[in-house]
Amino acid sequence: MALYVQKFGGTSVGSVERIKAVAEKVKGFRDAGHQVVVVVSAMSGETNRLIGLANDINDEPTPRELDMLVSTGEQVTISLLTMALHKLGVPATSYTGSQVGIMTDSAHTKARIQRIETEDMRQDLDDGQVAVVAGFQGVDEEGNITTLGRGGSDTTGVALAAALNADECQIYTDVDGVYTTDPRVCSQAQRLDTITVEEMLELASLGSKVLQIRAVEFAGKYNVPLRVLSSFQDGPGTLIVADSDKDEDSMEEPLISGIAFTANEAKLTLLNTPDVPGVASKILGPIADANIEIDMIVQNVAPAGDYTDFTFTVAKGDYKLTLKILEEQVLPALGEGEVKGDDKIAKVSLVGVGMRSHAGVASKMFRVLSEENINIRMVSTSEIKISVVVDEKQMELAVRALHQAFGLDKNDIESE
Amino acid sequence: MALYVQKFGGTSVGSVERIKAVAEKVKGFRDAGHQVVVVVSAMSGETNRLIGLANDINDEPTPRELDMLVSTGEQVTISLLTMALHKLGVPATSYTGSQVGIMTDSAHTKARIQRIETEDMRQDLDDGQVAVVAGFQGVDEEGNITTLGRGGSDTTGVALAAALNADECQIYTDVDGVYTTDPRVCSQAQRLDTITVEEMLELASLGSKVLQIRAVEFAGKYNVPLRVLSSFQDGPGTLIVADSDKDEDSMEEPLISGIAFTANEAKLTLLNTPDVPGVASKILGPIADANIEIDMIVQNVAPAGDYTDFTFTVAKGDYKLTLKILEEQVLPALGEGEVKGDDKIAKVSLVGVGMRSHAGVASKMFRVLSEENINIRMVSTSEIKISVVVDEKQMELAVRALHQAFGLDKNDIESE
């Protein structure tokens, strides 16, 4: 007998029929003798419908009232799924975030879980009940309803799995696992059986939107085995494991686990800025003050003299505002220099824990791109990731060329 | 400065525009220096939509899960109305039934309020906040969400007014007050300025669906001044007062305050039943066991010998089942007798505290009906009410004739 926490996202519970299908799936696990806690999101479209109503009334609703509003979405789903389980003869009880005791701080719309009171739920499980829990929501010490931010249902699932010491947290979604890259761009992309938490974090933050980053962090921190799998078809999915749990004996560990990419960034460069201590904070301070998040940062060494070039990327939606801040605030403060920008760029990243112990990944990457006549505009590296910025129109070509060159294509691995 | 509890029903908050209009109305009271607690229902149609979803999944959802589901309806409204108040610059805070501390028993879908914890709300009011409270819902001692049954938002409003010792509980609805009878049937019907709690109880239970009976009982029990008025037009509405608060000096107190009627009943008669002690319970026991509610009961005195006729009414929807129970269970148990039924009947009732001190109301009623050639099938009386059963097709004629005969028509009163 195992204890599973199973999380079903909005698409998986998006209609009455799908809710019934989820109930059948849960029943299967229970019939096999397992204990099950189910975490659900709002039915797909519901959260947007509610936010639409709010915006028709007040374009700047307070976070507390927004949480009060959108938390109803999951509450609807837990009651409907529990009714569906009852219909199948499965004893089940629904819980709001408040009822289950998911205690958070008071940062409405982006609250953080502080502790979970699992006593009642544990009792229910021992009594043979399936516990159906509203994802995405919690309650603060004053009893206000909070939400964990978009995609927070994943976090609820992992946090519950950690608190209950579950055998596995299963995240059911509309894809059947984590892929080497996006199959829509590269038809040779394939599902990974396992991936490490670190790799997953790099892939998630780089645009493979399978799992919420916080949920993966949580899973890594509390050592919760996390599996991504499809609501709609059977299959093993992808198991996300701690680095140390990966098979140490595998000599054939691939260098690269996956390729992430995004065209949603823009690049800004300050040319000929004075190369003196404190200049970086003078440049980035006003950007941060405007709540603009900065992704890559590259500062070239001054080739000669006291001047340098400083380049960074922001989300494409922040491009114009960032340009304005640089021109109107930063340049006058620096006293000299020049601003350049480009919002027709893309970022392509190789991710893999294997590259830690293998040299030459970067040089191979650059060679492959060069052979395709793809110009590299920026480079940034971490222990398990290399990211390059290229022209937006060359992004897909870069992804496919790298996917093949690093042995990720289907045929390559199948023939090994 | 007064403290008002204002309740707005589903039609009054049925759209974004109407929610904004409610916010304007609340702002008006607050700008005039009053403290305001607002109680709201789910947006019209929302509760039925949710119940429809439930029924698509499980035709017999458990009451606990049904409460979990439908209570989201009011939660959506409180957050939207609070956002609308914020937009107008009015400080406001929303509360679910659970958050406000509306403690009920555990009778899901028809829970009864046991106590209300008003401390937090009182503090908010003193801080200048408008408190926006979800009607219809509460929480039991174990933290389960409960609902008070359809129309329970009225009860929430009155209970809050009692707990806060409010100056007035105002029930905003889609009619501008309580009428002498239904204006759709009698064009001469007119709004009453005041009505007693007792009269209102008789009118409500007889089919004037302006207010929920329990709310009126509550108002009577805790001496809460209760006013029914329109969300959509200005006007004084109708004030529902304790009997003792009515103007004692008024010599011109009308005999009759209003005329209620319903075509939603059916009549059943057991002919020639043995007239022995215990026969009534033998007849009605199996009916009650089937959870069928009985309204009027008339037992004729046995004219001679040991036999009698026993007649009662039930809701039209229960007619066939009741007939079946009488034929298959009651008759065999009695050993003799005969069953007759009629579901083409209507009940018309005169209501008025004035009739307590005036003789002759019944005989005048019978005379008026006789003059219209309306046959009376059953009669039942209480201190402030006389009800007759007539043929369904004569119901409207009976209402109009009685309305005029008892001086309730517009012109009569205007000319007085």
Side-chain angles (χ1 to χ4, degrees), chain B residues 114-400:
Chain B
Q114 294 184 322
R115 65 174 199 281
I116 298 184
E117 291 159 4
T118 53
E119 263 176 50
D120 286 358
M121 209 185 333
R122 177 83 68 184
Q123 185 61 53
D124 277 2
L125 291 170
D126 290 344
D127 291 348
Q129 299 267 330
V130 169
V132 181
V133 180
F136 174 68
Q137 60 182 242
V139 63
D140 72 7
E141 294 293 337
E142 284 75 42
N144 297 301
I145 296 172
T146 55
T147 68
L148 311 178
R150 283 253 163 162
S153 293
D154 289 351
T155 307
T156 304
V158 175
L160 276 171
L164 292 165
N165 199 20
D167 294 279
E168 195 168 285
C169 178
Q170 302 179 332
I171 308 284
Y172 288 86
T173 145
D174 48 0
V175 297
D176 68 344
V178 179
Y179 273 68
T180 48
T181 194
D182 187 336
R184 285 169 301 186
V185 163
C186 177
S187 61
Q188 291 295 318
Q190 55 183 328
R191 185 181 54 77
L192 294 160
D193 284 327
T194 61
I195 186 171
T196 70
V197 168
E198 285 168 293
E199 288 169 333
M200 192 64 206
L201 286 176
E202 294 288 6
L203 285 173
S205 65
L206 292 170
S208 299
K209 304 252 170 54
V210 177
L211 273 177
Q212 209 208 8
I213 294 180
R214 267 167 70 195
V216 180
E217 287 174 350
F218 237 93
K221 186 169 172 188
Y222 293 101
N223 214 15
V224 174
L226 186 63
R227 189 181 292 276
V228 177
L229 59 185
S230 167
S231 297
F232 307 115
Q233 59 192 87
D234 289 333
T238 298
L239 184 64
I240 300 156
V241 295
D243 192 10
S244 55
D245 294 342
K246 250 195 155 178
D247 187 358
E248 302 271 358
D249 298 333
S250 169
M251 296 300 290
E252 299 298 329
E253 184 174 51
L255 280 175
I256 303 300
S257 290
I259 301 176
F261 55 89
T262 173
N264 189 32
E265 295 202 13
K267 181 168 75 86
L268 296 112
T269 302
L270 272 163
L271 293 168
N272 300 319
T273 57
D275 187 17
V276 293
V279 69
S281 75
K282 269 187 192 156
I283 296 170
L284 299 183
I287 313 287
D289 290 347
N291 281 318
I292 296 169
E293 282 197 30
I294 293 155
D295 181 27
M296 297 171 77
I297 301 175
V298 172
Q299 185 172 7
N300 292 345
V301 174
D306 305 326
Y307 293 87
T308 182
D309 299 339
F310 190 94
T311 305
F312 59 96
T313 63
V314 297
K316 209 160 258 184
D318 292 327
Y319 175 62
K320 283 188 182 164
L321 178 58
T322 309
L323 207 55
K324 193 175 141 111
I325 292 171
L326 289 181
E327 282 167 350
E328 296 180 4
Q329 293 180 46
V330 175
L331 270 193
L334 292 176
E336 53 190 324
E338 187 188 344
V339 175
K340 279 193 160 186
D342 186 353
D343 64 349
K344 297 276 182 286
I345 61 156
K347 183 171 69 167
V348 176
S349 308
L350 299 185
V351 174
V353 291
M355 73 171 75
R356 268 203 292 244
S357 50
H358 289 76
V361 172
S363 65
K364 180 172 178 184
M365 183 184 197
F366 302 156
R367 179 169 48 75
V368 170
L369 294 175
S370 155
E371 283 166 9
E372 300 288 342
N373 285 316
I374 296 170
N375 202 8
I376 298 169
R377 307 303 190 86
M378 268 175 101
V379 179
S380 155
T381 60
S382 79
E383 277 218 350
I384 65 164
K385 179 190 71 169
I386 305 174
S387 298
V388 297
V389 166
V390 299
D391 283 352
E392 187 178 340
K393 62 184 181 220
Q394 293 181 306
M395 178 181 79
E396 300 197 0
L397 173 62
V399 170
R400 283 190 288 264

Side-chain angles (χ1 to χ4, degrees), chain A residues 319-382:
Chain A
Y319 175 63
K320 283 187 180 163
L321 178 57
T322 310
L323 206 56
K324 193 176 141 109
I325 291 170
L326 289 182
E327 281 167 351
E328 295 180 6
Q329 295 181 45
V330 175
L331 269 195
L334 293 175
E336 52 192 326
E338 187 188 345
V339 175
K340 279 192 157 186
D342 185 355
D343 65 348
K344 297 276 184 288
I345 61 156
K347 184 171 70 166
V348 177
S349 307
L350 299 184
V351 174
V353 292
M355 74 171 73
R356 268 204 293 245
S357 50
H358 290 76
V361 171
S363 65
K364 182 174 177 182
M365 183 185 197
F366 300 156
R367 179 168 48 76
V368 170
L369 294 175
S370 155
E371 283 166 8
E372 301 288 344
N373 285 317
I374 295 169
N375 202 9
I376 298 169
R377 306 304 189 87
M378 265 175 101
V379 179
S380 156
T381 60
S382 79

